[in-house]
Amino acid sequence: MKNTEAFAESLARCGVKYHFAYPITPATDVMKRMAVILPNYGGEMMQMESELAVSSALAGAACTGKLVATSSSGPGLTLMHEAIGFMCAAELPCLMIDSMRVGPGDGDILGAQSDYYVATRGGAHGDYHTIVLAPSSGQEIADIVPQGIRLAYKYRTPVLFVIDGVSAQTTESTTLPDYYDYSAEFDTADWAFTGTQDHPKRALITGSYSHQDGFDMNEKLRAKYATIRENEQMWEQDQVEDAELVVAAFGIHGRMCRDLVFKMRAEGKKVGFIRPISLWPFPERAFTALPDSVKNILVVEMNHGQMIDDVRLSVNGRMPVHFLGKTGGDMPMNTLAEMIAEANRILGE
Amino acid sequence: MENLSSKYGKTLNLDKLTSYCPGCGHGTVTRLVAEAIENLGIMERTVSIVGIGCGGFSHHYMDIDAIEATHGRSPSFAIGYKLARPDNIVFTYAGDGDTCAIGLGDLLHAANKGMPITTIMVNNTVFGMTGGQMSPTTLEGQVTTTTVGGRQVPHQGYPLLVPEMMRAMPGVKYLARESVATPKAIRKAKKSIQKAFECQIKGLGYAFVEIIVPCPTGLKMKVKDSYARCGNEMTDYFQPQVFKDETEQNDVA
């Protein structure tokens, strides 16, 4: 099935009851599939009139403690940020999917990884983060959705899955999870806004009525984000132990790195790869732990260089960090041959 | 011995002094909303979704769960909430700025969806909390800090008639405009607010009540004069009436 559909099936099978969305290429298949399957799980997909309304309805539903989700693409994610910032401040769990396309502006409907900055830095005001996970295949979507739900409820925070639009529309075999509501592992009774029949009045306030309130809220969030940074870095790596060159890429380019390393190792070249899976928190530990044999890092992205900033921050000047990236055109990404050519060029320097 | 709680019930929180300005109509409307919830016996399953601005304070004076939504988005918040908890009663409460300036799109689509939620829009024809700027409902010629020569229709358009815009929507089952200009008007407003909640309890559809109130501070008027304006110029343009009442339909919930 299409990976957009793998997202929908995985969300529904893992306990998502309500999905709010607005049509946008290349994410629309998620909401279409949800509209068909969610009633079978006792839920509903509600199409809203704009992404502002989508994320606001998402926040309203998340207030009840139930597992809710949305799906969109770059221009939609831009509009959603008002309520994403709200949900981070209000500590509301939810799942979001961004099927990334070429930008800025309305950009192009072709796939890209152009939303790295807005996903990991945020598009709303204030000091906040969303957990950002970047699966690179249909199977990883199915495998990572339960993890995303657990993170969303454990830390009471929105979790954003980012996938480039090419991978999102790829059709491949995926083993889907059996039905299990992962959110049921978490008790929401102590915070959900369900009426005062079982608790005294609760008020969800993300603004501050005193300067101390605002300070306290922000310090609480800062401590939470520090815990997430410490405990939730995720990545895949291979052949870095004796590598001279490490290729770092996420999503589809990260997936291609396996072939790149296999081919170059077969030629006796000492190349390894790191594929970040969590983009926030960024897996800086993977880079700080690199052996001294690594003389260069090549970052490959479907954009003009966004994740490269986090790689550079992580290696902190220990070694040169090079970039190869492409976005748009008839082929909106670099080919494996281009990636290998650039790796060889760096090795030959 | 009778105390205030035995007279007004548990919904209205009488322990707090309100932060509304002296003479503000929000005090009356907040009390009417609390009394409607109390009378209908729905306090424990009711959730208030308030907007940004003076109306955002309203939940402080009610012992019910409350969510302070982002500016203008409370109708969409309410839709999400109602979908996830259809047995709960959810209402939005906000001023004219929140409801029909920044939030007009969310409001009209919520109304058109016809989901059983209730909206109370308190219209004082001015942005109160931010210090008296023009609102979509500012009257023609009305002086505000951003219409210093008075609102000019060729530049700023006409004062927005929100229930008139909603009248054609089949999903809207109770639709009224009331005022707090006089004791008699307040009694009528009380009835409309209660009906707007009954509409939701019966699961009939969307209910909307606009309440015309004075804002002595935002309009820089004496309380007495602002009430006189409320009962004259304001209600001359924003005419109180029940536009639609389909609450007597059979209970479909």
Side-chain angles (χ1 to χ4, degrees):
Chain A
M1 64 175 58
K2 261 190 181 180
N3 285 337
T4 40
E5 295 168 335
F7 257 125
E9 288 286 350
S10 301
L11 294 174
R13 287 161 183 259
C14 293
V16 169
K17 283 286 182 293
Y18 302 105
H19 190 95
F20 302 89
Y22 184 82
I24 185 167
T25 305
T28 311
D29 286 339
V30 182
M31 69 186 290
K32 283 164 62 182
R33 187 77 161 205
M34 288 300 243
V36 172
I37 63 176
L38 268 184
N40 301 331
Y41 296 94
E44 186 176 338
M45 191 288 291
M46 181 171 273
Q47 180 172 331
M48 302 296 286
E49 69 274 12
S50 73
E51 284 88 352
L52 282 168
V54 163
S55 56
S56 300
L58 187 73
C63 288
T64 68
K66 294 188 180 174
L67 182 52
V68 296
T70 186
S71 51
S72 192
S73 181
L77 186 69
T78 298
L79 289 169
M80 285 186 189
H81 271 94
E82 180 188 57
I84 293 173
F86 175 92
M87 284 185 279
C88 288
E91 300 193 89
L92 297 174
C94 72
L95 302 181
M96 304 178 292
I97 297 161
D98 175 27
S99 179
M100 295 179 283
R101 59 190 240 184
V102 176
D106 201 35
D108 192 346
I109 57 171
L110 287 173
Q113 294 178 333
S114 301
D115 302 350
Y116 184 91
Y117 279 150
V118 77
T120 59
R121 269 57 175 173
H125 52 278
D127 292 299
Y128 77 94
H129 295 282
T130 50
I131 293 176
V132 183
L133 305 177
S136 63
S137 68
Q139 194 56 56
E140 193 169 28
I141 289 167
D143 295 342
I144 210 170
V145 163
Q147 208 167 346
I149 295 169
R150 284 180 167 144
L151 289 171
Y153 276 80
K154 178 180 178 184
Y155 294 106
R156 284 183 53 192
T157 189
V159 169
L160 172 63
F161 299 101
V162 293
I163 185 164
D164 63 84
V166 173
S167 298
Q169 300 195 94
T170 298
T171 298
E172 57 185 321
S173 297
T174 299
T175 303
L176 295 167
D178 293 331
Y179 181 79
Y180 177 74
D181 182 358
Y182 286 85
S183 69
E185 295 176 356
F186 298 86
D187 187 3
T188 62
D190 62 341
W191 63 265
F193 296 81
T194 55
T196 55
Q197 63 267 34
D198 56 2
H199 58 253
K201 171 179 176 152
R202 288 177 183 155
L204 196 170
I205 300 168
T206 64
S208 49
Y209 287 103
S210 73
H211 297 311
Q212 190 62 37
D213 288 342
F215 178 79
D216 291 345
M217 180 183 83
N218 278 296
E219 287 303 304
K220 184 182 176 195
L221 291 175
R222 171 151 64 179
K224 179 167 81 175
Y225 296 140
T227 304
I228 297 172
R229 270 184 203 269
E230 180 63 27
N231 297 328
E232 309 300 346
Q233 295 181 23
M234 286 188 270
W235 72 93
E236 179 193 8
Q237 68 177 42
D238 196 21
Q239 311 264 4
V240 300
E241 292 75 15
D242 65 341
E244 293 173 8
L245 171 69
V246 163
V247 181
F250 72 100
I252 192 168
H253 277 309
R255 186 173 174 178
M256 290 160 67
C257 279
R258 288 183 207 137
D259 288 339
L260 176 141
V261 168
F262 180 79
K263 284 177 186 280
M264 295 189 76
R265 283 273 172 181
E267 296 171 3
K269 291 163 182 167
K270 292 188 174 176
V271 180
F273 78 85
I274 294 171
R275 178 174 69 89
I277 297 172
S278 61
L279 301 186
W280 196 91
F282 188 74
E284 55 194 25
R285 212 174 290 133
F287 294 90
T288 54
L290 284 175
D292 289 339
S293 62
V294 178
K295 303 301 179 199
N296 286 284
I297 294 178
L298 169 63
V299 177
V300 185
E301 301 181 66
M302 290 172 76
N303 56 40
H304 290 177
Q306 298 188 19
M307 185 182 80
I308 189 174
D309 289 357
D310 281 329
V311 175
R312 283 191 170 132
L313 286 168
S314 300
V315 303
N316 199 20
R318 274 181 66 205
M319 59 206 71
V321 179
H322 309 264
F323 180 71
L324 177 67
K326 185 186 170 193
T327 182
D330 292 334
M331 178 71 176
M333 57 188 289
N334 287 107
T335 61
L336 183 59
E338 289 169 332
M339 290 168 67
I340 289 171
E342 183 64 10
N344 276 322
R345 190 192 66 75
I346 294 166
L347 284 170
E349 275 184 353
Chain B
M1 189 179 113
E2 186 180 66
N3 58 27
L4 289 172
S5 285
S6 63
K7 182 173 175 60
Y8 293 109
K10 293 179 182 171
T11 307
L12 197 62
N13 185 333
L14 296 154
D15 295 333
K16 289 191 175 179
L17 292 172
T18 78
S19 54
Y20 298 139
C21 301
C24 170
H26 271 298
T28 305
V29 180
T30 300
R31 179 180 146 184
L32 295 180
V33 169
E35 287 180 357
I37 293 167
E38 185 76 20
N39 291 342
L40 294 165
I42 53 173
M43 174 188 161
E44 292 186 330
R45 61 183 176 117
T46 298
V47 174
S48 168
I49 301 185
V50 300
I52 305 297
C54 305
F57 291 125
S58 61
H59 76 84
H60 289 277
Y61 319 120
M62 286 181 253
D63 274 333
I64 57 175
D65 274 3
I67 295 157
E68 293 189 2
T70 42
H71 203 179
R73 312 280 166 240
S74 48
S76 295
F77 271 68
I79 281 176
Y81 188 93
K82 190 72 177 180
L83 189 70
R85 289 192 70 91
D87 294 336
N88 278 32
I89 303 299
V90 56
F91 73 96
T92 71
Y93 182 113
D96 45 279
D98 186 289
T99 309
C100 68
I102 195 169
L104 186 64
D106 294 65
L107 177 75
L108 292 182
H109 283 285
N112 194 48
K113 276 194 171 69
M115 277 178 77
I117 60 178
T118 302
T119 291
I120 308 296
M121 167 176 142
V122 181
N123 178 4
N124 56 20
T125 72
V126 73
F127 277 72
M129 183 175 278
T130 49
Q133 295 81 28
M134 184 189 75
S135 143
T137 57
T138 292
L139 292 172
E140 186 174 356
Q142 182 181 329
V143 174
T144 71
T145 59
T146 50
T147 53
V148 293
R151 181 178 187 160
Q152 303 299 318
V153 164
H155 289 269
Q156 285 108 12
Y158 295 92
L160 200 62
L161 297 163
V162 177
E164 282 83 348
M165 294 170 69
M166 285 184 188
R167 184 156 37 183
M169 295 178 178
V172 179
K173 299 299 184 186
Y174 188 80
L175 183 62
R177 178 186 290 124
E178 303 289 358
S179 90
V180 297
T182 65
K184 186 180 176 186
I186 292 171
R187 285 194 290 275
K188 286 177 66 183
K190 178 176 182 173
K191 191 175 173 186
S192 275
I193 289 170
Q194 185 147 328
K195 285 225 169 189
F197 278 96
E198 286 171 2
C199 185
Q200 179 172 178
I201 293 166
K202 291 180 176 180
L204 295 173
Y206 186 77
F208 178 91
V209 183
E210 173 182 1
I211 318 249
I212 307 301
V213 306
C215 176
T217 306
L219 297 169
K220 300 178 176 54
M221 299 175 85
K222 290 178 180 173
V223 170
K224 187 181 171 189
D225 295 340
S226 70
Y227 271 84
R229 176 180 182 272
C230 185
N232 295 314
E233 297 106 289
M234 290 175 79
T235 45
D236 282 350
Y237 186 85
F238 299 107
Q239 293 179 3
Q241 58 194 289
V242 176
F243 295 89
K244 196 188 280 192
D245 180 1
E246 298 177 11
T247 58
E248 301 309 317
Q249 289 181 358
N250 290 334
D251 188 345
V252 294

